[in-house]
Amino acid sequence: MKIEGRHYRTLWPDADDARVHVIDQTRLPHRFETRALATSADAARAIADMIVRGAPLIGVVGAYGFALAMGEDASDAGVAEAHAKLLATRPTASNLRWALDRQRTLALGTPQAARRAACWAEAGEIAEEDVRFCEAIGAHGARIIAEIAAKNPHRPVDILTHCNAGWLATIDWGTALAPIYKAARAGVALHVWVDETRPRNQGASLTAFELLGENIPHTVIADNAGGHLMQHGRVDMALVGSDRVTATGDVCNKIGTYLKALAAHDNGVPFYAAMPGSTIDWTMRDGVREIPIEQRAAREVTHISGLGADGAIATVQVTPTGSKAENYAFDVTPAKYVTALITERGLCAASADGLRGLYPEQST
Amino acid sequence: MKIEGRHYRTLWPDADDARVHVIDQTRLPHRFETRALATSADAARAIADMIVRGAPLIGVVGAYGFALAMGEDASDAGVAEAHAKLLATRPTASNLRWALDRQRTLALGTPQAARRAACWAEAGEIAEEDVRFCEAIGAHGARIIAEIAAKNPHRPVDILTHCNAGWLATIDWGTALAPIYKAARAGVALHVWVDETRPRNQGASLTAFELLGENIPHTVIADNAGGHLMQHGRVDMALVGSDRVTATGDVCNKIGTYLKALAAHDNGVPFYAAMPGSTIDWTMRDGVREIPIEQRAAREVTHISGLGADGAIATVQVTPTGSKAENYAFDVTPAKYVTALITERGLCAASADGLRGLYPEQST
């Protein structure tokens, strides 16, 4: 998608396949900088430090990291080590494990000398698949937006989103934002309420930055405000991404998503989650009990970074010195609060039956 | 209550009754500074700029502002002007109107020459009443905490609070925090989850600062985290203040309170709101439809202040330049999600019958 009129993806390999380049998302929206990942350690650090984030993008960077690791040690022990090292970077997102499992299977079925090249090509294929899947999610979700627009032809469709599930969270298009981009390109009038998404502010920074780049009308709000807006009829639909969906349709997503789903339910606002099939964890049935929730550094709560008055990026401490903080990165929205899931294969109910209907090959 | 071992109130008059001093709450928790209010314009500005905030404290500062206005123009026209000017500073809190109505009635029943002195004394009496009422709220609410503690004797009671409804929001003791202070002094082991309360961070700054001063164990969390904690049994009760309660028990409080009430309801966590009787608006029956919700400057969302690395207070911009923001200061929690109201007269159901039972003089 576009930044200041120029098309970007979040990730692109060198012409000679030596390195992969990513946008440093910790610097957005104030600075546009890229990082070159030349080693598997670079890739692991980029994921752990959230230079790249977003479940689908993490999966692709993990896949490239695995390919880089095969250039460092292509032995079977190296395969196991690369898988373990990259998987440990973020515990919650399902896509990372999915991509690493795929690379491990490929590597073990390939002669050692060919493993790096095969895995590099596979990482590229995973990236291309992600673009195709996100575009399909966009097409399916845009129909929901168009239906709401058809019922209210004289005003924009108001869509609330949480965190960043846009193109910056994927390779291109995004998951939750893909339907918005597709609908906007089809001429549907819409407006996006952007939850700032504390503590890391991915909404206020990344989602707002994306929507500016695509000229989509939007308004940043505190995470606290969505319930009030829904009580007053200011939200037509809520649309979020996901880091892991259970086989029963429970949706794990950025911390605070659950609160918005409750408010949507209380006010009759439809609540959708959008994700590619790689986000579905077919081994889990109870999201609240089973999905591991990453705890991140307390400093992400106690300190906030932004653009200082002098134009430099600065960090300020908001809590008194001496108060401790805790930082839970995700929560789980029970399936009963999810109107439907939007996948690359279409919509389905957030339920075991709904998911099996779309992914019959998982029924065994 | 205590700051670094020394007892303070939020407000104290000069010995010669010329001025009233307040703690500048916009500088907390990083700086302890006081401001002297010498004119009614000073008082109005202190309320509008949130140098003082919290519904009960706003009421008392409004009352002192009214007395100062009587020193500037004690005519009947001056009475009307002072009432209107001070009422316009913040639209949502009920206590401000209550205190100004009380001062207006007193002034109009007093000879002009005696109006300033009478209203000054009355402001002092309103302040003393607030202290007594808050202490009584504390005693009533502490019994709820003690009951929970009795059921779980081997661990602290986990209480979640939103915004700042502590002594800094009143004259002393606080509303929602008064039960916590009373229970802690009675030896009940407890721990407070402090919602940071974006956009102004009154939880992360003021509530954390208060709890540090009183040595109460606490943990600051993003506003997004409370639902996750409740899903995992980490919250025994939610306890908030209020800026206006309808005659039917709907609770208007800082934006985001409604989301926490929904999560409490979904997880069987009791949800209490604490307030003095002056917070009850007996003229309103439907909080969501009737209570005016203040909209504040977008800059409170797009910019955040805190302590910079150099020890100076600095402000950083978190959104990209070009994205707009909106800032709704309060929301309304429907009475059905409120387990009980805690007032200076005791507990009651959040309902018309419950409130009439405690305040029978309002039944006419």
Side-chain angles (χ1 to χ4, degrees):
Chain A
M1 307 299 282
K2 287 195 189 124
I3 298 174
E4 293 184 356
R6 184 175 156 193
H7 183 264
Y8 284 92
R9 286 183 168 189
T10 51
L11 173 148
W12 56 96
D14 271 347
D16 62 357
D17 290 350
R19 303 180 302 174
V20 64
H21 298 265
V22 297
I23 299 171
D24 182 350
Q25 300 196 22
T26 65
R27 308 288 285 172
L28 295 175
H30 309 298
R31 300 274 186 277
F32 180 82
E33 294 173 8
T34 63
R35 297 273 174 272
L37 312 180
T39 67
S40 62
D42 288 348
R45 206 174 307 116
I47 299 171
D49 295 349
M50 295 182 70
I51 288 168
V52 293
R53 23 65 56 199
L57 176 56
I58 287 173
V60 176
V61 174
Y64 273 107
F66 191 96
L68 289 166
M70 292 301 93
E72 296 154 12
D73 175 3
S75 70
D76 287 3
V79 167
E81 191 195 318
H83 188 281
K85 177 174 72 177
L86 288 158
L87 186 61
T89 52
R90 297 287 306 273
T92 301
S94 193
N95 316 57
L96 178 60
R97 176 183 286 276
W98 170 87
L100 293 172
D101 286 356
R102 181 165 158 173
Q103 291 286 51
R104 181 173 59 187
T105 301
L106 174 66
L108 294 176
T110 303
Q112 284 196 24
R115 284 177 178 175
R116 193 214 186 261
C119 289
W120 189 268
E122 187 75 355
E125 175 51 29
I126 294 173
E128 293 304 328
E129 265 181 33
D130 187 67
V131 175
R132 289 196 301 274
F133 284 8
C134 286
E135 192 165 1
I137 288 168
H140 295 304
R143 283 197 290 275
I144 302 170
I145 301 173
E147 282 166 21
I148 295 171
K151 286 182 206 155
N152 305 285
H154 304 302
R155 62 169 182 80
V157 179
D158 281 306
I159 304 170
L160 182 140
T161 192
H162 191 71
C163 197
N164 174 260
W167 70 270
L168 289 168
T170 62
I171 302 302
D172 207 351
W173 288 103
T175 54
L177 296 193
I180 290 169
Y181 295 135
K182 284 282 183 186
R185 290 188 182 187
V188 176
L190 50 81
H191 164 260
V192 183
W193 295 107
V194 179
D195 279 358
E196 66 173 344
T197 319
R198 284 281 292 147
R200 289 184 64 95
N201 288 321
Q202 294 98 330
S205 54
L206 305 178
T207 298
F209 177 79
E210 280 196 26
L211 295 173
L212 270 179
E214 289 286 326
N215 280 314
I216 309 274
H218 64 283
T219 305
V220 178
I221 51 173
D223 300 304
N224 285 320
H228 169 73
L229 293 170
M230 291 184 198
Q231 283 179 316
H232 290 269
R234 308 277 305 276
V235 181
D236 293 306
M237 67 185 286
L239 180 50
V240 301
S242 177
D243 295 78
R244 192 184 304 215
V245 173
T246 64
T248 54
D250 293 341
V251 172
C252 181
N253 190 44
K254 185 60 48 189
I255 190 84
T257 300
Y258 166 54
L259 296 170
K260 296 310 156 58
L262 288 172
H265 183 77
D266 196 43
N267 292 285
V269 173
F271 182 93
Y272 296 94
M275 75 291 302
S278 54
T279 305
I280 304 162
D281 182 340
W282 299 97
T283 71
M284 289 193 177
R285 302 192 63 80
D286 183 331
V288 173
R289 285 170 179 244
E290 294 179 72
I291 297 176
I293 300 297
E294 177 179 8
Q295 268 193 271
R296 296 185 58 83
R299 189 177 164 90
E300 293 183 353
V301 175
T302 59
H303 290 68
I304 297 178
S305 292
L307 196 64
D310 59 357
I313 291 181
T315 300
V316 297
Q317 174 184 326
V318 293
T319 50
T321 301
S323 287
K324 77 183 179 104
E326 288 185 19
N327 181 5
Y328 301 89
F330 302 93
D331 64 20
V332 174
T333 298
K336 65 180 169 181
Y337 298 122
V338 180
T339 305
L341 304 175
I342 308 172
T343 81
E344 75 279 6
R345 296 191 188 176
L347 269 67
C348 74
S351 67
D353 284 351
L355 281 165
R356 269 197 306 266
L358 275 192
Y359 296 90
E361 72 274 22
Q362 298 290 344
S363 294
T364 53
Chain B
M1 306 301 282
K2 288 193 188 125
I3 298 175
E4 293 184 358
R6 184 175 155 193
H7 183 265
Y8 283 92
R9 286 183 168 187
T10 51
L11 171 150
W12 56 96
D14 271 346
D16 63 357
D17 290 351
R19 304 181 301 176
V20 63
H21 298 265
V22 297
I23 299 171
D24 183 349
Q25 301 197 20
T26 65
R27 307 288 283 172
L28 294 176
H30 310 298
R31 300 274 186 277
F32 180 82
E33 294 174 9
T34 64
R35 298 273 174 271
L37 313 180
T39 67
S40 62
D42 288 348
R45 206 173 308 115
I47 299 171
D49 294 350
M50 295 183 71
I51 288 168
V52 292
R53 24 66 55 200
L57 177 56
I58 286 173
V60 176
V61 173
Y64 273 108
F66 191 95
L68 289 165
M70 292 301 93
E72 296 155 10
D73 176 2
S75 70
D76 287 4
V79 167
E81 190 195 320
H83 188 281
K85 177 174 72 177
L86 288 159
L87 187 61
T89 52
R90 298 287 306 274
T92 300
S94 194
N95 315 58
L96 179 60
R97 176 183 286 276
W98 170 87
L100 293 172
D101 287 355
R102 182 164 157 172
Q103 291 287 50
R104 180 173 60 187
T105 301
L106 174 67
L108 294 177
T110 302
Q112 283 196 25
R115 284 177 176 175
R116 191 206 187 268
C119 289
W120 189 267
E122 187 75 356
E125 175 50 29
I126 293 172
E128 294 303 329
E129 265 180 32
D130 187 68
V131 176
R132 289 196 301 275
F133 285 9
C134 286
E135 193 167 359
I137 289 167
H140 295 305
R143 283 197 290 276
I144 303 170
I145 300 173
E147 282 166 20
I148 295 171
K151 286 182 205 156
N152 305 286
H154 304 301
R155 62 169 182 82
V157 179
D158 282 307
I159 304 170
L160 183 140
T161 192
H162 190 71
C163 197
N164 175 260
W167 71 271
L168 289 168
T170 62
I171 303 301
D172 207 350
W173 289 103
T175 54
L177 295 193
I180 290 169
Y181 294 135
K182 284 282 182 186
R185 290 187 183 188
V188 175
L190 50 80
H191 164 261
V192 183
W193 295 109
V194 179
D195 278 357
E196 65 173 346
T197 319
R198 284 280 293 148
R200 289 183 64 92
N201 287 322
Q202 294 98 330
S205 54
L206 305 178
T207 298
F209 177 79
E210 280 196 27
L211 295 173
L212 270 181
E214 290 285 325
N215 280 313
I216 309 272
H218 64 282
T219 305
V220 178
I221 51 174
D223 299 305
N224 285 321
H228 169 73
L229 292 171
M230 291 185 198
Q231 284 179 315
H232 289 271
R234 308 278 305 277
V235 181
D236 293 305
M237 66 185 287
L239 179 52
V240 302
S242 176
D243 296 80
R244 191 182 307 214
V245 173
T246 63
T248 53
D250 293 340
V251 172
C252 180
N253 191 45
K254 184 60 50 189
I255 190 83
T257 301
Y258 166 55
L259 296 171
K260 297 309 157 62
L262 289 172
H265 183 78
D266 197 43
N267 292 285
V269 173
F271 182 93
Y272 296 94
M275 73 292 301
S278 53
T279 305
I280 304 162
D281 183 338
W282 299 98
T283 71
M284 288 192 177
R285 303 192 62 80
D286 183 331
V288 173
R289 284 171 180 244
E290 295 180 71
I291 297 176
I293 300 298
E294 177 179 6
Q295 268 193 270
R296 298 185 57 84
R299 190 178 163 89
E300 293 184 352
V301 175
T302 59
H303 290 68
I304 297 178
S305 292
L307 196 65
D310 59 356
I313 291 180
T315 300
V316 297
Q317 174 183 327
V318 293
T319 51
T321 301
S323 288
K324 78 183 178 106
E326 288 186 20
N327 181 5
Y328 302 89
F330 302 93
D331 64 21
V332 174
T333 298
K336 66 180 169 180
Y337 297 121
V338 180
T339 306
L341 304 174
I342 308 172
T343 81
E344 74 281 5
R345 296 190 188 178
L347 269 68
C348 74
S351 68
D353 284 351
L355 281 165
R356 270 198 305 266
L358 276 191
Y359 297 90
E361 72 274 23
Q362 298 289 345
S363 294
T364 52

